Amino acid sequence: MSNIAWNNLDTLESFKKLQALKDCVSVAKELSGAEAAKRVAEYSIPMADGLVYNYAAKQVNSKIISIFEELVKESQLLEKFEALYNGDVINTGEKRMVLHQLLRGQLGKDVVADGVNKRDFYINEQKKIAVFAEKVHSGKIVNEKGEKFTSVCQIGIGGSDLGPRAIYLALENWAKQTGNFKMDAHFISNVDPDDAASVLQSIDLSKTIFILVSKSGTTLETLTNESFVKDFLKNAGLDPSKHMIAVTSETSPLAKSPDYLEAFFMDDYIGGRYSSSSGVGGAILSLAFGSEVFDDFLKGAAEEDKLATEKDVRKNAALMDALIGVYERNVQEYPSTAVLPYSQALSRFPAHLQQLDMESNGKSVNRFGEKINYVTGPVIFGEPGTNGQHSFYQLLHQGTNIIPLQFIAFKENQTGKDVVIQDSTSQTKLCANVVAQIVAFACGKNDENPNKFFAGERPSSLIYGKQVSPKTLGALLAHYENKVMFQGFLWNVNSFDQEGVQLGKTLAKSVLSGKMEGALKAYAELLIK
Amino acid sequence: MSNIAWNNLDTLESFKKLQALKDCVSVAKELSGAEAAKRVAEYSIPMADGLVYNYAAKQVNSKIISIFEELVKESQLLEKFEALYNGDVINTGEKRMVLHQLLRGQLGKDVVADGVNKRDFYINEQKKIAVFAEKVHSGKIVNEKGEKFTSVCQIGIGGSDLGPRAIYLALENWAKQTGNFKMDAHFISNVDPDDAASVLQSIDLSKTIFILVSKSGTTLETLTNESFVKDFLKNAGLDPSKHMIAVTSETSPLAKSPDYLEAFFMDDYIGGRYSSSSGVGGAILSLAFGSEVFDDFLKGAAEEDKLATEKDVRKNAALMDALIGVYERNVQEYPSTAVLPYSQALSRFPAHLQQLDMESNGKSVNRFGEKINYVTGPVIFGEPGTNGQHSFYQLLHQGTNIIPLQFIAFKENQTGKDVVIQDSTSQTKLCANVVAQIVAFACGKNDENPNKFFAGERPSSLIYGKQVSPKTLGALLAHYENKVMFQGFLWNVNSFDQEGVQLGKTLAKSVLSGKMEGALKAYAELLIK
């Protein structure tokens, strides 16, 4: 890492050049003119598994992209990525390597830590999970009565919940349609006791395997919910130790406990929000759909990771997406970004990206702990289309702020069911709406009535593919992980810690211990009986 | 309405005074000092059904509140509300009255339109629904085989989906616990065919009543999904007309069709996002929980509406919330707001508020169609706590922008199930976290390590109550409707139309008809087979 310089964005010459290019592209003009079709064809980057990233409706042109190229070199983005996947300590605050890409492939050198080759360690854990899942599916591991398990329930919060949940929901219908559906999955996350109670009352406890997920083995919500679940199991006359497995680190208190049928391991080099490719996602997805499906998911992610090493920004979707995002945030000064998947399967994917992005890059100090003088991560929000069109799109089209958009769409649906109304299928209507929205946002519409006037100039990108499948989803997940990583490098922040969640935890402990005064006490008296 | 002047916010003297008060309150100081407890006690407004709105952690003081008082008078906020509930044509763009408050009570004069007393009309429709629901529950209305219906499924999008869905989810566990649960409810909204297919494959079609909800009777997604459902029913050997009811306007094509068991009516004076109190929410909630539960919901809303007529801003929670929001948006220049319910029951309440707020006030022209020179509605997003704490709170605490927060919390959970771990229940832990977060956001924390430094000064409000119940939920819903209305008055926009959704619809039709060129054609070729 000796040749890498970690500099703040505002010290880079190429960034200064970029700042001079504010508001220099009209997407309305670019997409209204005779050259529109050519632009749509050219501003396009192939991704893994047939996905494509199209940025024709973004506020960029060849001049801006040439500055992007300078920025990539000056900020050594690809060298930094290389350092990361070769095992340098990129998470400087916590003094940890960052190895989630290694869960799904090996981009560089062997990474050895704690005396083991980490790639071998991760593969071995995946194999252990595959063997376990096969035993559950084939009836070699059964409940107290010798019956097969039919359901699986994850107990975890944050990264142990949002990613795996989004992926499960994205593949549930696909798995049913393709014969890969093996067990239905459920999730308990919130410390609100109604979350656990509601899930537990809706499933057959006697045929459910619970997965306790906590890297440290100390997450308050997760341990509380574990006890909640154990109480329920005992009250139903069941033996919790016959119904629970753990996904944790080898050094955690959960690692070698007789309370679990088995424990699968991750390590400190896998951040919670980057852990879907580890046992955190692997156990529940392998049980729900079979380990081959999870393997395909990892293959899609690995393929996309490989593409993220491409040096030419015009061929590297994650890099281009990251650069456009920084241009939108730091030059155009847009404070938020909407993620809009036109696919019901991706209903919770925006919630996962919300964590991935906001927890990684919502920082005010650089990686050396120095306060920085520019804005970092935006607010990320979104809901599936076409639902969103009937909800918050009014503000996106005619509100007083411009909000950059990220559309995601697929040519085919998952269930194979469809209906023709007014000469088109629902799937065609869905896709027609994406197309219409991109152009409406970009080009707007003149109208004598100012209430029906659309200013346009609202930039969007589009990731599209054939269908939401395991490989596609892996590629999509890796794309966003890599985008967030590149943006973290540009902003010179540590995208892999989360010190901002600590203060709330500390104060909550003060409230629970009763050792509090002032405002804390005053608020506690309002709420706590 | 002759005495009311509709002026832009930036023409008001009191707003200019408010602009001079930027950054004049430190919530860290206010809540760290000896007077903190006094402030928490004083900055508090009772709402309906025992709810309380507390704004002690907002960036206001007595000086700012006195300017708020001037602003209320100068902009005639209460007179405008009075004009609205007395039936003036407040939705000027569409030339319509705005009568959703009349669905749940009568605040002013009789409102007569189309030759009928509107309050009588609304009550009559509610009674029709109550009678219908009772017949379904008692087995007077049954399926083809004479069996009782056990499920209900709403087909609707936007306001016909988000509000009713959020309310159903909020009351499902409460109803199960209190013996009010009568039918399980499902929702089909997206034109993505996998949405409908997935729901239909998960329910017993033969025992399901479908509610088709479309005011105009022409919503493309809803009509498409209706056909989709009818195909499924026919393929299952069922007669759709024995399984469907409609909620629509009297003039819609659905109103007198033999395709439906019965039709319940709303009218043009009820906007989609304000329609949860009409048959749009009433039919599904009365079927799911009984009409008494829906009545209680309406009572809570009516009680809260009444409080919104209170002239003293210190006693009017919706008014205070609205004014603080405008101060945060137009003086403090914060572009987004997070809604954070510490209640799993309210998991989809932020999605409803996202539509309510962003579709109402995401406008760039005033009610006369003139472009305005200040920002209007913010981006609204949110997820339930404590889940959000493990997701995007990092950015809220340590990101480079301040995002105002709205906490919602309850002393008791709904299911009555709980567990004591480390000397406290889950419910207590949940509440302790709300308390801790409010103080952490406001006061921050000094630390030698800048990575562990919290600047604080992040304002939040708290709405709290005993438990999520029908009345509480009605009050909560009405609070936000009234807040959004007052903000619309302040920004001088029409909060009751949504012209911004039209262009996308028009262009989607062009794509579907094949009559397209340029960018529209180029994008269509990428996505549509």
Side-chain angles (χ1 to χ4, degrees):
Chain A
M1 199 143 72
S2 50
N3 294 323
I4 292 181
W6 298 92
N7 293 315
N8 282 4
L9 181 65
D10 58 357
T11 66
L12 305 179
E13 289 308 313
S14 45
F15 177 67
K16 288 170 193 162
K17 287 187 198 170
L18 200 61
Q19 282 180 304
L21 297 176
K22 186 170 179 175
D23 289 329
C24 77
V25 175
S26 161
V27 284
K29 276 188 198 155
E30 298 288 346
L31 290 181
S32 302
E35 303 287 287
K38 196 174 153 222
R39 182 175 166 105
V40 173
E42 280 181 7
Y43 281 57
S44 175
I45 304 176
M47 297 168 58
D49 196 42
L51 284 174
V52 178
Y53 174 73
N54 191 294
Y55 57 103
K58 284 292 190 187
Q59 293 162 324
V60 293
N61 57 19
S62 54
K63 190 168 180 187
I64 289 178
I65 294 170
S66 73
I67 309 295
F68 283 174
E69 286 167 344
E70 292 180 30
L71 194 49
V72 169
K73 279 185 199 153
E74 191 181 1
S75 65
Q76 300 176 290
L77 290 186
L78 292 159
E79 291 85 343
K80 286 171 183 171
F81 184 24
E82 195 179 339
L84 182 147
Y85 62 67
N86 280 330
D88 280 358
V89 177
I90 296 295
N91 178 353
T92 40
E94 300 177 303
K95 300 194 174 54
R96 290 174 181 170
M97 300 184 288
V98 175
L99 300 183
H100 53 273
Q101 281 100 351
L102 200 64
L103 291 161
R104 51 216 189 199
Q106 185 154 356
L107 294 165
K109 299 177 193 165
D110 278 352
V111 179
V112 178
D114 321 320
V116 296
N117 178 306
K118 282 283 136 184
R119 175 73 184 145
D120 292 344
F121 170 73
Y122 296 144
I123 289 176
N124 189 50
E125 291 304 314
Q126 283 159 17
K127 281 189 187 151
K128 276 168 57 187
I129 289 172
V131 168
F132 179 82
E134 196 284 323
K135 284 185 186 165
V136 171
H137 298 150
S138 65
K140 289 191 195 96
I141 294 176
V142 289
N143 73 2
E144 297 92 332
K145 290 190 187 168
E147 297 163 325
K148 271 195 186 184
F149 288 105
T150 57
S151 298
V152 52
C153 179
Q154 180 119 324
I155 308 170
I157 195 164
S160 304
D161 171 54
L162 292 166
R165 193 192 292 249
I167 297 166
Y168 174 78
L169 291 174
L171 295 180
E172 186 181 9
N173 285 321
W174 173 89
K176 285 180 179 165
Q177 187 63 17
T178 56
N180 286 293
F181 191 78
K182 302 195 189 303
M183 299 170 78
D184 55 302
H186 306 268
F187 297 84
I188 294 172
S189 54
N190 204 331
V191 78
D192 180 344
D194 289 349
D195 186 17
S198 170
V199 170
L200 295 175
Q201 287 170 346
S202 74
I203 58 181
D204 181 350
L205 293 175
S206 72
K207 296 182 180 170
T208 302
I209 290 186
F210 293 87
I211 311 176
L212 188 75
V213 186
S214 173
K215 186 162 68 178
S216 65
T218 61
T219 314
L220 180 68
E221 281 91 342
T222 302
L223 294 186
T224 301
N225 278 322
E226 180 190 19
S227 296
F228 200 100
V229 168
K230 282 183 173 169
D231 275 7
F232 254 74
L233 288 169
K234 285 178 205 156
N235 290 341
L238 300 165
D239 175 358
S241 72
K242 297 271 188 292
H243 286 265
M244 282 202 163
I245 62 175
V247 176
T248 188
S249 64
E250 283 181 291
T251 54
S252 114
L254 316 176
K256 269 148 198 151
S257 162
D259 288 356
Y260 310 103
L261 278 169
E262 198 145 357
F264 304 104
F265 302 126
M266 54 192 300
D267 59 34
D268 282 344
Y269 315 124
I270 309 301
R273 56 194 174 273
Y274 296 92
S275 67
S276 292
S277 305
S278 77
V280 173
I284 190 159
L285 296 169
S286 298
L287 284 164
F289 307 135
S291 62
E292 297 82 1
V293 169
F294 185 63
D295 282 348
D296 279 346
F297 170 83
L298 294 180
K299 273 180 202 150
E303 211 179 298
E304 193 59 39
D305 286 340
K306 182 89 185 128
L307 292 173
T309 66
E310 165 63 47
K311 288 190 170 50
D312 183 350
V313 63
R314 291 171 188 271
K315 295 181 183 165
N316 185 330
L319 194 55
M320 181 65 87
D321 199 355
L323 287 156
I324 292 173
V326 167
Y327 175 76
E328 290 176 335
R329 183 80 172 116
N330 297 89
V331 180
Q332 296 293 82
E333 300 178 68
Y334 303 142
S336 55
T337 291
V339 179
L340 307 167
Y342 275 62
S343 164
Q344 195 62 24
L346 297 184
S347 61
R348 292 299 287 168
F349 196 66
H352 168 64
L353 293 188
Q354 192 173 55
Q355 177 187 21
L356 178 67
D357 203 316
M358 294 173 71
E359 197 169 41
S360 294
N361 290 334
K363 311 279 164 75
S364 295
V365 295
N366 69 13
R367 56 171 46 246
F368 307 109
E370 298 155 349
K371 195 166 183 328
I372 46 183
N373 298 313
Y374 44 84
V375 294
T376 58
V379 165
I380 304 286
F381 71 102
E383 292 283 337
T386 56
N387 288 0
Q389 291 178 198
H390 294 258
S391 170
F392 54 86
Y393 277 37
Q394 164 67 40
L395 184 145
L396 303 185
H397 279 290
Q398 292 188 319
T400 44
N401 291 117
I402 288 180
I403 294 158
L405 311 169
Q406 301 228 315
F407 290 99
I408 303 171
F410 301 91
K411 293 177 198 178
E412 295 175 13
N413 68 326
Q414 292 182 317
T415 61
K417 304 273 186 299
D418 208 336
V419 63
V420 173
I421 309 289
Q422 294 174 12
D423 301 325
S424 61
T425 62
S426 289
Q427 183 63 30
T428 301
K429 289 186 186 75
L430 185 66
C431 290
N433 273 281
V434 183
V435 170
Q437 292 294 335
I438 292 171
V439 175
F441 280 118
C443 301
K445 174 175 153 280
N446 258 317
D447 201 296
E448 283 181 16
N449 179 347
N451 206 20
K452 297 176 193 288
F453 170 78
F454 291 77
E457 304 295 359
R458 283 148 204 248
S460 67
S461 62
L462 168 67
I463 291 176
Y464 65 96
K466 189 173 172 231
Q467 191 191 40
V468 181
S469 70
K471 256 186 111 170
T472 306
L473 201 63
L476 203 56
L477 186 100
H479 170 81
Y480 281 101
E481 288 180 0
N482 295 329
K483 173 196 170 180
V484 166
M485 172 193 71
F486 284 131
Q487 292 191 326
F489 290 158
L490 284 162
W491 285 319
N492 204 27
V493 301
N494 178 359
S495 303
F496 305 102
D497 66 357
Q498 54 283 324
E499 292 295 340
V501 307
Q502 295 304 327
L503 177 57
K505 286 188 196 176
T506 308
L507 293 182
K509 275 185 196 163
S510 301
V511 175
L512 289 169
S513 71
K515 287 174 197 155
M516 51 180 170
E517 53 186 8
L520 212 54
K521 195 175 173 205
Y523 274 107
E525 282 169 3
L526 301 181
L527 259 184
I528 298 173
K529 289 192 291 185
Chain B
M1 198 143 72
S2 50
N3 294 322
I4 292 181
W6 298 92
N7 293 316
N8 283 4
L9 181 65
D10 57 357
T11 67
L12 305 179
E13 289 308 313
S14 44
F15 177 67
K16 288 169 193 163
K17 288 187 198 170
L18 201 59
Q19 283 180 302
L21 297 176
K22 186 170 178 175
D23 288 329
C24 77
V25 176
S26 160
V27 285
K29 276 188 198 156
E30 296 290 345
L31 290 180
S32 302
E35 303 286 285
K38 196 173 154 222
R39 182 175 166 104
V40 172
E42 279 181 5
Y43 281 57
S44 174
I45 303 175
M47 298 168 58
D49 196 42
L51 285 173
V52 178
Y53 173 73
N54 190 293
Y55 57 104
K58 284 291 191 186
Q59 293 162 323
V60 293
N61 58 18
S62 55
K63 190 167 179 188
I64 289 177
I65 295 170
S66 74
I67 309 294
F68 284 173
E69 286 167 344
E70 292 181 30
L71 193 49
V72 169
K73 278 184 200 153
E74 191 181 1
S75 64
Q76 299 177 292
L77 291 186
L78 293 159
E79 292 86 340
K80 287 171 183 171
F81 184 24
E82 195 179 341
L84 182 147
Y85 63 68
N86 280 331
D88 280 0
V89 177
I90 296 294
N91 178 353
T92 38
E94 299 178 304
K95 299 195 174 56
R96 290 174 180 170
M97 301 184 288
V98 175
L99 299 183
H100 55 273
Q101 280 99 351
L102 201 63
L103 291 162
R104 52 216 189 199
Q106 185 154 357
L107 294 165
K109 299 177 193 166
D110 279 352
V111 179
V112 178
D114 320 321
V116 297
N117 178 306
K118 284 280 133 185
R119 176 72 184 144
D120 292 344
F121 169 73
Y122 297 144
I123 290 177
N124 189 50
E125 293 303 315
Q126 283 158 17
K127 281 188 187 152
K128 276 169 58 188
I129 289 172
V131 169
F132 179 81
E134 196 284 323
K135 284 186 187 165
V136 171
H137 297 150
S138 65
K140 288 192 197 97
I141 294 175
V142 289
N143 74 3
E144 298 91 331
K145 290 190 187 167
E147 298 162 324
K148 271 194 186 184
F149 288 104
T150 56
S151 299
V152 52
C153 180
Q154 180 119 323
I155 309 170
I157 195 165
S160 303
D161 170 54
L162 292 166
R165 194 193 292 249
I167 297 166
Y168 174 77
L169 291 173
L171 295 178
E172 187 181 8
N173 285 321
W174 172 89
K176 285 178 179 166
Q177 187 63 16
T178 55
N180 286 293
F181 191 78
K182 301 192 190 301
M183 299 171 77
D184 56 299
H186 306 267
F187 297 84
I188 293 172
S189 54
N190 202 331
V191 79
D192 180 344
D194 289 349
D195 186 18
S198 169
V199 170
L200 295 175
Q201 286 169 346
S202 74
I203 58 181
D204 182 350
L205 292 175
S206 72
K207 295 182 181 171
T208 302
I209 291 185
F210 292 88
I211 311 176
L212 188 76
V213 186
S214 172
K215 186 162 68 177
S216 65
T218 61
T219 314
L220 180 68
E221 281 90 341
T222 302
L223 294 186
T224 301
N225 278 321
E226 181 190 18
S227 294
F228 199 100
V229 168
K230 282 183 173 171
D231 275 7
F232 253 74
L233 288 169
K234 284 179 205 157
N235 290 340
L238 300 165
D239 174 359
S241 71
K242 297 272 188 292
H243 285 265
M244 282 201 162
I245 63 175
V247 176
T248 187
S249 65
E250 284 182 290
T251 53
S252 115
L254 316 176
K256 267 146 200 151
S257 160
D259 289 354
Y260 310 103
L261 280 168
E262 197 145 359
F264 304 106
F265 302 126
M266 56 191 301
D267 59 34
D268 282 344
Y269 314 124
I270 309 300
R273 57 195 174 273
Y274 296 92
S275 68
S276 293
S277 304
S278 77
V280 173
I284 190 159
L285 296 168
S286 298
L287 284 164
F289 308 134
S291 61
E292 296 82 1
V293 170
F294 185 64
D295 282 348
D296 279 345
F297 170 84
L298 294 179
K299 273 180 203 150
E303 211 178 297
E304 193 58 40
D305 286 341
K306 182 87 184 130
L307 292 173
T309 66
E310 164 64 45
K311 287 191 170 50
D312 183 349
V313 64
R314 291 172 187 271
K315 295 180 183 166
N316 186 330
L319 195 54
M320 181 65 87
D321 198 355
L323 287 156
I324 292 173
V326 167
Y327 176 75
E328 290 177 335
R329 183 80 172 116
N330 298 89
V331 180
Q332 297 293 82
E333 300 179 68
Y334 304 141
S336 56
T337 291
V339 179
L340 307 167
Y342 275 62
S343 163
Q344 194 62 25
L346 297 185
S347 61
R348 291 299 287 168
F349 196 67
H352 168 65
L353 293 188
Q354 193 173 55
Q355 176 187 23
L356 178 67
D357 203 316
M358 293 173 72
E359 197 169 42
S360 295
N361 290 334
K363 311 278 164 77
S364 296
V365 296
N366 69 13
R367 54 172 46 245
F368 307 110
E370 298 154 351
K371 195 167 183 326
I372 47 182
N373 298 313
Y374 43 86
V375 295
T376 58
V379 165
I380 304 285
F381 71 101
E383 293 283 336
T386 56
N387 288 359
Q389 292 178 197
H390 294 258
S391 169
F392 54 84
Y393 277 36
Q394 164 67 39
L395 184 145
L396 304 184
H397 279 289
Q398 292 189 319
T400 44
N401 291 117
I402 289 181
I403 293 159
L405 310 169
Q406 302 228 315
F407 290 99
I408 303 171
F410 301 91
K411 293 177 199 178
E412 295 174 12
N413 67 326
Q414 291 182 318
T415 61
K417 304 272 187 299
D418 209 337
V419 64
V420 174
I421 309 290
Q422 295 173 12
D423 302 325
S424 62
T425 62
S426 289
Q427 183 63 30
T428 301
K429 290 187 185 77
L430 184 67
C431 290
N433 273 282
V434 184
V435 170
Q437 291 294 336
I438 292 171
V439 175
F441 280 118
C443 300
K445 174 175 154 279
N446 258 318
D447 201 296
E448 283 180 16
N449 179 347
N451 207 20
K452 297 176 193 288
F453 169 78
F454 292 76
E457 304 294 0
R458 282 146 205 251
S460 68
S461 62
L462 167 66
I463 291 177
Y464 65 95
K466 190 173 171 232
Q467 191 190 41
V468 180
S469 70
K471 257 185 111 172
T472 306
L473 201 63
L476 203 56
L477 185 100
H479 170 81
Y480 281 102
E481 289 180 359
N482 295 329
K483 173 196 169 180
V484 166
M485 171 193 72
F486 284 131
Q487 291 191 326
F489 291 158
L490 282 162
W491 285 318
N492 203 28
V493 300
N494 179 0
S495 304
F496 305 102
D497 66 357
Q498 54 283 322
E499 292 294 343
V501 308
Q502 295 304 328
L503 177 56
K505 285 188 196 176
T506 308
L507 294 182
K509 275 185 196 163
S510 300
V511 175
L512 288 170
S513 70
K515 287 173 195 155
M516 51 180 170
E517 54 187 9
L520 213 52
K521 194 174 172 203
Y523 275 107
E525 282 168 2
L526 302 182
L527 260 183
I528 297 174
K529 289 190 292 188

